[in-house]
Amino acid sequence: TQALEVETMVDWLTAWGEPVPATSLDHSNAGHDMGKAHDAMPGMMSEAEMAELASAPDDEFQDLWLEMMIEHHQGAIEMSRAEQSDGEFALTITLAKSIEAAQREEIDRMQLLLDS
């Protein structure tokens, strides 16, 4: 669904005569490459955190991964809320609401795994 969301947003930007950021079509350059761009995105893991995850013993890896993913999803919720409060286009606000709901459901599932 993420690829569809990106495609939809690109279509909207094009229809609205807005520029399409190069990173919107290249996930690795949208902050997920652990470069400087990720610092501005809430919930992005640092290089140190990713190294910690990579070196975690098998019995600790799952919980650490789940904790980091919950934080990552909370960042998506934060960005979605910003779009809902500051967005200019009804379609993107609706999408932001959908993203927030989906991320909340995933956080709940991950928290259940942590609690079990």
Side-chain angles (χ1 to χ4, degrees), residues 63-97:
D63 286 352
L64 185 58
W65 184 83
L66 288 168
E67 290 165 359
M68 288 182 179
M69 287 307 297
I70 288 171
E71 183 179 338
H72 185 70
H73 282 47
Q74 288 168 335
I77 289 172
E78 184 180 329
M79 290 185 287
S80 295
R81 286 183 177 164
E83 178 61 24
Q84 290 172 60
S85 66
D86 302 332
E88 297 178 32
F89 301 103
L91 291 173
T92 58
I93 293 168
T94 299
L95 178 60
K97 289 177 184 176

Side-chain angles (χ1 to χ4, degrees), residues 17-108:
E18 297 290 334
V20 177
T23 58
S24 68
L25 301 176
D26 182 1
H27 191 69
S28 67
N29 288 322
H32 291 76
D33 65 349
M34 303 311 135
K36 290 182 182 178
H38 93 283
D39 293 335
M41 294 179 68
M44 294 303 296
M45 301 302 108
S46 68
E47 287 184 38
E49 289 170 314
M50 293 305 291
E52 178 185 8
L53 182 62
S55 65
D58 290 345
D59 62 331
E60 296 175 17
F61 179 88
Q62 178 176 306
D63 286 352
L64 185 58
W65 184 83
L66 288 168
E67 290 165 359
M68 288 182 179
M69 287 307 297
I70 288 171
E71 183 179 338
H72 185 70
H73 282 47
Q74 288 168 335
I77 289 172
E78 184 180 329
M79 290 185 287
S80 295
R81 286 183 177 164
E83 178 61 24
Q84 290 172 60
S85 66
D86 302 332
E88 297 178 32
F89 301 103
L91 291 173
T92 58
I93 293 168
T94 299
L95 178 60
K97 289 177 184 176
S98 172
I99 290 169
E100 180 179 358
Q103 297 295 288
R104 285 189 182 287
E105 287 179 24
E106 290 181 18
I107 288 171
D108 290 345

